[in-house]
């Protein structure tokens, strides 16, 4: 089932009414990413205000989810609600979790996940706890109601009359875009099974038929499905002959065999009594849609007088007996049912095979819940902003809704709503004359007072940690600017120096901390940067962002905040540094070389190392969770964030300079297996950042070479401790999250062309003698305009790509003997044994990975 956005508050009231205030009856399972952390903090603040006891449990992958089910859910009689944040939407949670309790009741499971596609069983397959819908998904009823059949209903708050069932929080995708998938799923659930004999006997005939008959049957799908299904369900347990001569010949043996062979369906209990004529026993219905048979076998002679035509004169007898119109044979109906099933299966397969994409960030969904409850404040708003902004760091572009022209339209709408919330909760400051202070081009770096904790909309440069780094280092380590200037090469560094020189900024000023730069340079930074942006192809380098102050302590943008929180999850916070990790890796390698021998010892060592890694990740989770509410801990983790991004640029530059990025049939690949920073990329999220940087760099190189085809990329990093490679597959190297840029010069050029064309049309009426030349000129201009439009269409098309690496990884795992582990909630992440990597890449190269 699913909970629409207008019922979020009702669902929370349902939880508050049924949860226990004395025992922790609410379990929150959280994925290890920044968006899920922010959503968890928002939800726990709401629960604390209502004094509802709850337990938070981080989950790194499906293996951890299984452990959590065994230790925290199974057999827990106090548990009433399980809330999954950032996980669970892509698998059947009814199969993954033991939600049935010993007393017969059911634990209610909420799924709040931005990863797509949804597992359709979670939305359309559950009905526990929703008595108001009376099962809701009985095949015929759900088909008549469409997508509404899967919506929660009933009870005091219209979200179910009791606790139980799987309930998905809908960000709008289910209600607006999944009507076809819902109908197909419900039709398949309600379809009867066909006899194996019928399948084999009709297979050859079915292959020879054309699809014209299918198109004709689809037009009457709603009216004819009942006939088809009932005809198949009511199929005789023995084949019927035309003359009826062998009607009873095999009744002794074949009837029993066929009855045992044929699966029992839900219509078997409604079969006609034995005295019903064979014609009516095969569900022959009237053409008016009535469910009554054409003739009643129980008609009483006392109620209806029977006319005997044999007693009438020959001239008065009817010329021909009254016969019903001929109906399709059983074989034809079975064939139509089989085609209908294939049609619905194709709809489901198309939905699942389109690849992976992302919906609205769940921190935004949780803030919508707080807003509906009337409990929004600056703290919750800031968490929602950080969660939304963190998606861009990891390439999680929000998939467009139906009707969106550009890929970023939906994300811009979400940001617009957040901006309105910022203005509402943080009114702008007024000057002494009562007017609002004029906006400046300066980015905010300090608070206005010691107690200032407000959130402001501020111009943001797409640089890395600019408030805490120098301007030069911030530009150098930016994935956006660094890859466009090709800073991995000497010419790229010179281009950066030349850009600063054209702006009038000296390297001495740019290499000191941004907060200590000359104030005049900071005031003119935006204006001068926008002045040279067109020369270097960085038109989107400045945009509106969000900034929050913590008094005199700190001033952080939402993007920088998300970068630091993410780095805590990936490499640790104040308690960890890169140098210690490097030494540990060296010592472990020495132990491996001199110690463990044999397969069993190797397995024990790998299990121990895996357990140590899981404990390390869980420790980082709690450290990052605390940092969301402790700015001192966040600032202490800044050096590690800078270390990670230095390593990203260093490693990416090394891969390009050494030409280690190889081109395979369907994608590019690179392997990171040596160097001082290899241990930093054993976390999938850190490797994802590196893959984004490398993908952008390769894309810029391909643009220089005028290549139109941009392949996706697979990056592998060696985890020497465990003897495995971590692989990340990034969709299109052309950045699937990039939206269509607005080129002001091109728009002005089009406007001038249109004006000139209209003037020429008027001149053409006056000067017919020069019409041929003018027509040629107009044709040339039309060609130029069409070429410009094709470029824009190409950009829009790139934005609609989806990541199909998860499907390809699964296909390779099923078709090879490579030792592969797919455990991450991110479908594009996989682990492969060190020795099996070459064979894995060889098999993967033949898979379709372009969405």
């Amino acid at each position: 089932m699913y909970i629409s956005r207008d019922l979020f508050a009702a669902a929370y009231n349902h939880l508050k009414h049924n949860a226990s205030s004395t025992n922790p009856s609410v379990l929150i399972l959280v994925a290890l990413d920044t968006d899920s952390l922010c959503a968890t903090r928002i939800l726990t603040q709401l629960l604390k205000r209502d004094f509802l006891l709850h337990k938070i449990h981080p989950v790194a992958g499906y293996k951890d989810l299984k452990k959590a089910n065994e230790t925290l859910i199974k057999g827990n009689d106090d548990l009433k609600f399980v809330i999954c944040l950032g996980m669970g939407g892509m698998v059947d949670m009814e199969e993954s979790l033991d939600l049935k309790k010993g007393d017969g009741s059911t634990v209610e499971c909420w799924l709040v996940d931005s990863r797509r596609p949804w597992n359709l069983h979670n939305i359309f397959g559950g009905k526990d706890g929703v008595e108001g819908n009376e099962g809701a998904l009985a095949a015929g009823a759900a088909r008549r109601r469409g997508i509404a059949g899967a919506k929660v209903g009933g009870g005091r708050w219209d979200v179910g009359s009791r606790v139980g069932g799987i309930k998905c929080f809908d960000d709008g995708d289910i209600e607006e875009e999944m009507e076809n998938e819902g109908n197909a799923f419900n039709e398949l659930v309600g379809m009867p099974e066909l006899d194996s004999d019928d399948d084999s006997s009709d297979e050859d005939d079915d292959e020879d038929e054309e699809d014209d008959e299918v198109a004709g049957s689809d037009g009457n799908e709603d009216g004819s499905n009942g006939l088809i299904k009932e005809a198949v369900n009511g199929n005789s347990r023995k084949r019927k002959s035309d003359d009826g001569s062998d009607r009873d010949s095999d009744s002794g043996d074949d009837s029993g065999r066929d009855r045992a062979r044929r699966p029992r369906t839900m219509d078997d209990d409604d079969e006609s009594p034995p005295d019903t004529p064979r014609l009516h026993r095969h569900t022959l219905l009237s053409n008016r849609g009535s469910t009554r048979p054409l003739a009643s076998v129980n008609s009483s002679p006392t109620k209806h007088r029977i006319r005997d035509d044999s007693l009438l004169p020959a001239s008065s007898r009817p010329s021909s007996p009254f016969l019903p119109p001929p109906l399709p044979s059983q074989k034809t109906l079975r064939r139509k049912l089989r085609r209908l099933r294939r049609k619905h299966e194709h709809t489901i397969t198309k939905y699942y095979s389109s690849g992976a994409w992302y919906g609205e960030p769940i921190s935004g969904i949780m803030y919508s819940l707080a807003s509906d409850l009337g409990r929004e404040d600056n703290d919750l708003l800031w968490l929602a902003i950080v969660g939304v902004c963190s998606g861009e760091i990891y390439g999680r572009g929000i998939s467009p809704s139906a009707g969106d022209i550009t890929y970023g339209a939906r994300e811009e709408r979400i940001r617009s709503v957040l901006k309105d919330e910022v203005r509402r909760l943080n009114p702008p400051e007024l000057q002494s004359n009562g007017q609002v202070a004029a906006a400046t081009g300066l980015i905010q770096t300090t608070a206005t007072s010691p107690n200032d904790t407000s959130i402001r909309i501020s111009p943001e440069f797409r640089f890395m940690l600019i408030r805490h780094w120098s301007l030069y280092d911030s530009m150098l380590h930016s994935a956006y600017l660094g890859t466009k200037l090709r800073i991995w090469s000497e010419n790229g560094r010179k281009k950066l120096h030349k850009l600063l020189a054209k702006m009038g900024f000296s390297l001495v000023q740019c290499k000191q901390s941004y907060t200590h730069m000359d104030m005049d340079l900071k005031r003119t930074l935006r204006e001068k940067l926008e002045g040279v942006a067109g020369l270097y192809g960085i038109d989107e380098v400045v945009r509106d962002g969000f900034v929050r102050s913590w008094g005199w302590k700190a001033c952080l943008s939402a993007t920088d905040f998300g970068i630091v929180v993410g780095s805590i999850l990936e490499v640790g916070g104040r308690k960890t540094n890169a140098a210690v990790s490097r030494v540990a890796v060296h010592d472990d390698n020495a132990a491996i070389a001199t110690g463990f021998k044999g397969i069993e010892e190797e397995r024990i060592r790998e299990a121990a190392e895996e357990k140590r890694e899981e404990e390390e990740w869980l420790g980082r989770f709690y450290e990052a969770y605390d940092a969301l509410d402790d700015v001192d801990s966040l600032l202490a983790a800044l050096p590690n964030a800078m270390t990670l991004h230095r390593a990203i640029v260093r490693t990416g530059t090394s891969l390009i300079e050494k030409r280690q990025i190889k081109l395979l049939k369907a994608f590019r690949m690179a392997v990171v297996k040596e160097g001082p920073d290899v241990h930093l990329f054993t976390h999938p999220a850190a490797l994802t950042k590196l893959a984004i940087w490398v993908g952008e760099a390769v894309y810029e190189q391909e643009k220089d070479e005028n290549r139109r085809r941009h392949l996706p990329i697979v990056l592998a990093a060696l985890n020497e401790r465990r003897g495995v490679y971590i692989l990340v597959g990034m969709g299109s190297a052309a950045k699937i999250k990039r939206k269509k840029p607005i080129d002001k010069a091109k728009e002005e050029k089009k406007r001038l062309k249109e004006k000139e064309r209209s003037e020429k049309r008027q001149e053409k009426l006056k000067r017919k003698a020069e019409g041929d030349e003018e027509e040629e000129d107009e044709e040339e201009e039309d060609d130029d305009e069409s070429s410009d439009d094709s470029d824009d269409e190409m950009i829009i098309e790139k934005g609609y790509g989806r990541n199909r690496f998860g499907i390809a990884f699964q296909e390779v795992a099923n078709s090879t003997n490579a030792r592969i582990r797919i455990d991450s909630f991110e479908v594009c992440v996989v682990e492969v044994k060190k020795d099996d990597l070459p064979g894995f890449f060889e098999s993967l190269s033949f898979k379709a990975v372009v969405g």
Side-chain angles (χ1 to χ4, degrees):
M1 313 298 289
Y2 76 92
I3 301 174
S4 59
R5 192 178 286 272
D6 59 325
L7 293 177
F8 285 176
Y12 182 83
N13 290 328
H14 166 72
L15 179 145
K16 184 171 68 172
H17 178 75
N18 292 284
S20 174
S21 59
T22 58
N23 297 318
S25 59
V26 179
L27 174 63
I28 304 175
L29 302 178
V30 191
L32 305 185
D33 60 75
T34 306
D35 185 31
S36 299
L37 253 70
C38 294
T40 304
R41 176 66 78 172
I42 295 173
L43 179 60
T44 54
Q45 291 296 323
L46 298 178
L47 295 175
K48 286 178 181 178
R49 294 177 190 181
D50 290 317
F51 305 101
L52 296 177
L53 298 179
H54 57 276
K55 181 180 178 63
I56 301 173
H57 184 78
V59 181
Y62 292 108
K63 184 178 179 181
D64 279 357
L65 179 62
K66 185 178 180 180
K67 291 181 181 178
N69 178 55
E70 295 293 332
T71 58
L72 301 175
I73 300 176
K74 191 175 182 179
N76 188 350
D77 294 334
D78 295 331
L79 188 63
K80 293 186 177 180
F81 292 89
V82 176
I83 304 177
C84 300
L85 297 178
M87 50 173 285
M90 301 180 72
V91 296
D92 186 359
M93 293 300 286
E94 197 168 8
E95 296 292 331
S96 302
L97 302 179
D98 292 322
L99 301 177
K100 296 288 185 181
K101 295 200 288 188
D103 57 359
S105 60
T106 308
V107 177
E108 186 166 313
C109 180
W110 288 4
L111 299 182
V112 190
D113 194 2
S114 62
R115 295 177 178 87
R116 302 290 183 269
W118 283 107
N119 188 293
L120 298 181
H121 284 275
N122 294 330
I123 303 173
F124 306 106
K127 58 185 179 181
D128 292 332
V130 194
E131 293 175 346
N133 277 358
E134 297 180 355
L137 293 181
R143 176 169 51 83
R144 288 191 297 270
R145 288 195 297 267
I147 195 71
K151 187 175 181 178
V152 296
R156 179 178 175 183
W157 291 281
D158 202 32
V159 291
S161 57
R162 58 174 179 165
V163 176
I166 307 290
K167 297 177 182 177
C168 306
F169 275 57
D170 178 28
D171 60 352
D173 292 346
I174 299 175
E175 211 159 39
E176 297 175 3
E177 302 176 7
M178 295 185 63
E179 180 76 26
N180 294 334
E181 288 79 7
N183 290 337
F185 183 91
N186 294 326
E187 288 289 347
L188 289 174
V189 170
M191 278 189 179
E193 295 292 336
L194 290 170
D195 291 351
S196 58
D197 291 349
D198 296 337
D199 288 337
S200 59
S201 62
D202 297 338
E203 188 69 26
D204 296 337
D205 296 338
D206 192 29
E207 291 178 355
D208 296 337
E209 290 289 335
E210 296 183 357
D211 292 334
D212 295 341
E213 189 174 352
V214 178
S217 64
D218 291 345
N220 287 327
E221 183 177 325
D222 293 337
S224 61
N225 283 355
L227 276 173
I228 298 174
K229 292 178 184 178
E230 200 168 348
V232 175
N233 285 334
N235 188 10
S236 62
R237 295 186 174 92
K238 54 182 184 279
R239 302 247 180 203
K240 131 182 121 168
S241 62
D242 295 335
D243 57 0
S245 59
D246 56 348
R247 179 178 301 173
D248 298 322
S249 60
D250 298 331
S251 59
D253 298 325
D254 292 347
S255 176
R257 286 197 300 271
D258 287 341
R259 185 179 292 112
R261 181 189 305 116
R262 175 174 162 269
R264 183 175 179 82
T265 63
M266 49 196 291
D267 292 336
D268 286 345
D269 297 333
D270 300 331
E271 291 181 351
S272 301
D275 57 346
T276 303
R278 185 175 187 80
L279 188 66
H280 302 308
R281 213 164 55 229
H282 284 276
T283 64
L284 208 59
L285 306 182
S286 67
N287 292 333
R288 288 191 294 266
S290 171
T291 56
R292 295 175 53 197
L294 293 176
S296 177
V297 295
N298 296 323
S299 299
S300 173
T302 61
K303 293 183 180 181
H304 303 282
R305 184 176 302 276
I306 301 176
R307 185 181 70 178
D308 191 354
D309 291 339
S310 62
L311 302 178
L312 298 176
S315 59
S316 302
R317 295 179 187 176
S319 58
S320 60
F322 175 76
L323 296 175
L327 292 176
S329 65
Q330 296 294 320
K331 192 173 183 179
T332 302
L333 293 178
R334 285 195 304 270
R335 186 181 299 119
K336 288 184 177 180
L337 178 62
R338 208 161 32 245
R339 288 174 179 169
L340 191 62
R341 177 187 294 156
R342 288 172 187 161
K343 173 188 172 184
H344 294 318
E345 287 175 348
H346 174 73
T347 301
I348 302 298
T349 303
K350 182 179 178 181
Y351 175 71
Y352 282 135
S353 62
S354 61
W357 68 99
Y358 295 92
E360 181 178 342
I362 62 173
S363 53
I365 294 177
M366 287 293 101
Y367 182 77
S368 296
L369 169 61
S371 180
D372 292 344
L373 295 172
R375 300 182 184 180
E376 65 271 31
D377 56 28
N378 258 358
D379 292 334
L380 302 187
L381 175 59
W382 178 248
L383 291 169
I385 292 172
V386 171
V388 171
C389 293
S390 67
E392 184 180 6
I393 302 171
Y394 299 98
R396 298 178 183 175
I398 303 175
S399 179
S401 301
D404 287 344
I405 299 176
T406 59
Y407 190 85
R410 186 177 181 184
E411 187 170 353
E412 287 300 322
R413 287 197 300 269
I414 295 174
R415 284 178 173 268
S416 178
V417 171
L418 294 176
K419 289 178 183 178
D420 292 341
E421 287 292 294
V422 169
R423 297 186 184 100
R424 183 174 68 87
L425 298 178
N426 303 269
E429 297 180 359
L430 299 178
Q431 294 179 339
S432 57
N433 57 4
Q435 296 181 352
V436 178
T440 64
L442 276 171
I443 65 172
Q444 183 178 342
T445 56
T446 58
T448 57
S449 69
N451 299 321
D452 181 18
T453 59
S454 63
I455 305 173
R456 300 295 179 192
I457 300 173
S458 170
E460 284 297 309
F461 302 105
R462 298 183 70 174
F463 302 153
M464 182 66 59
L465 302 172
I466 186 172
R467 293 172 177 81
H468 318 283
W469 229 335
S470 67
L471 177 61
Y472 183 83
D473 285 333
S474 178
M475 298 172 75
L476 189 70
H477 295 92
S478 166
Y480 175 78
L481 185 67
T483 54
K484 285 188 174 295
L485 297 181
R486 290 83 166 163
I487 54 90
W488 58 84
S489 63
E490 188 64 28
N491 290 334
R493 299 290 179 103
K494 290 180 180 179
K495 188 181 292 186
L496 176 59
H497 296 168
K498 189 176 181 180
L499 182 148
L500 294 173
K502 286 187 176 182
M503 293 168 54
F505 285 41
S506 67
L507 288 179
V508 175
Q509 283 284 337
C510 294
K511 288 187 177 181
Q512 62 179 321
S513 176
Y514 178 81
T515 56
H516 296 99
M517 278 182 63
D518 186 89
M519 184 57 71
D520 293 334
L521 295 179
K522 289 194 285 187
R523 285 195 185 100
T524 59
L525 176 59
R526 178 175 182 175
E527 179 184 353
K528 291 185 176 180
L529 191 59
E530 289 178 341
V532 300
L535 300 175
Y536 296 93
I538 52 175
D539 299 311
E540 295 180 327
V541 72
V542 185
R543 58 184 179 179
D544 287 337
F546 304 92
V547 180
R548 190 181 189 188
S549 302
W550 285 265
W552 301 133
K553 280 186 179 181
C555 181
L556 292 165
S557 70
T559 302
D560 292 348
F561 198 99
I563 288 173
V564 179
V565 173
S567 67
I568 295 176
L569 291 171
E570 295 151 16
V571 297
R574 69 166 78 188
K575 302 176 184 178
T576 312
N577 65 56
V580 173
S581 298
R582 259 199 309 271
V583 173
V585 171
H586 176 75
D587 293 343
D588 284 349
N589 289 340
I592 294 170
T594 59
F596 299 104
K597 295 181 180 179
I599 298 177
E600 192 63 31
E601 290 83 356
E602 184 71 14
R603 289 177 180 173
I604 295 174
R605 182 192 65 81
E606 290 177 0
E609 182 58 34
E610 185 177 339
K611 183 178 180 180
R612 184 204 60 79
E613 186 178 82
E614 291 176 357
E615 293 175 353
E616 188 178 82
W617 286 10
L618 296 184
R620 294 174 185 172
F621 168 85
Y622 291 112
E623 192 173 356
Y625 183 78
D626 293 337
L628 292 175
D629 199 34
D630 183 7
V631 70
D632 293 326
S633 299
L634 196 79
L635 294 176
L638 265 171
N640 276 356
M642 295 177 178
T643 299
L644 175 61
H645 285 87
R646 286 193 187 99
I648 289 173
V649 174
R650 206 161 40 231
T651 306
T653 301
S654 175
L655 291 174
I656 295 174
E657 287 181 344
K658 296 180 179 179
R659 300 182 179 274
Q660 293 179 343
I661 303 175
K662 307 299 182 182
L663 176 63
L664 299 183
K665 183 178 180 181
F667 58 89
R668 297 181 184 274
M669 54 82 66
V671 180
V672 182
K673 57 183 177 181
E674 57 186 11
D677 304 314
V678 66
H679 66 282
L680 295 175
F681 301 109
T682 56
H683 194 286
L687 188 60
T688 299
K689 290 180 179 179
L690 176 60
I692 292 173
W693 193 96
V694 174
E696 278 290 332
V698 172
Y699 172 64
E700 295 299 332
Q701 284 184 322
E702 290 175 339
K703 279 207 315 184
D704 290 344
E705 299 171 0
N706 295 324
R707 296 187 184 180
R708 291 185 173 271
R709 187 187 181 197
H710 305 286
L711 295 177
I713 188 168
V714 179
L715 213 59
L718 177 62
N719 187 336
E720 190 67 41
R721 289 176 168 180
R722 294 176 51 204
V724 298
Y725 278 99
I726 313 297
L727 274 73
V728 171
M730 294 304 296
S732 172
K735 294 282 281 192
I736 63 171
K737 65 184 180 65
R738 176 183 285 119
K739 63 182 180 180
K740 176 184 175 181
I742 300 175
D743 193 336
K744 296 181 180 179
K746 185 179 291 185
E747 293 294 327
E748 182 66 18
K749 183 180 177 182
K750 287 183 179 181
R751 189 182 67 80
L752 293 175
K753 280 185 177 181
E754 190 64 33
K755 182 179 179 181
E756 184 179 356
R757 189 180 294 108
S758 62
E759 293 176 353
K760 286 189 176 183
R761 288 195 188 101
Q762 294 177 359
E763 293 177 0
K764 184 179 178 180
L765 298 176
K766 300 178 181 179
R767 304 177 182 179
K768 296 182 178 179
E770 301 176 359
D772 295 337
E773 296 180 0
E774 291 174 357
E775 288 179 1
E776 291 178 359
D777 294 339
E778 187 171 353
E779 288 177 0
E780 292 178 359
E781 291 170 356
D782 291 341
D783 293 340
D784 294 340
E785 184 178 7
S786 63
S787 64
D788 293 339
D789 294 341
S790 64
D791 292 340
D792 292 342
E793 291 173 0
M794 182 181 66
I795 294 173
I796 296 172
E797 184 180 357
K798 286 190 298 186
Y800 282 85
R802 290 180 175 178
N803 193 331
R804 298 195 72 256
F805 276 109
I807 301 173
F809 289 161
Q810 190 67 54
E811 290 175 353
V812 174
N814 296 334
S815 61
T816 65
N817 294 325
R819 291 165 291 179
I820 301 170
R821 178 184 175 188
I822 303 176
D823 186 63
S824 175
F825 297 129
E826 292 290 345
V827 296
C828 60
V829 176
V830 66
E831 294 181 5
V832 181
K833 268 296 186 180
K834 185 177 179 180
D835 299 334
D836 297 334
L837 185 66
F840 177 85
F841 272 130
E842 182 180 357
S843 299
L844 185 65
S845 63
F846 296 101
K847 303 300 179 182
V849 295
V850 180

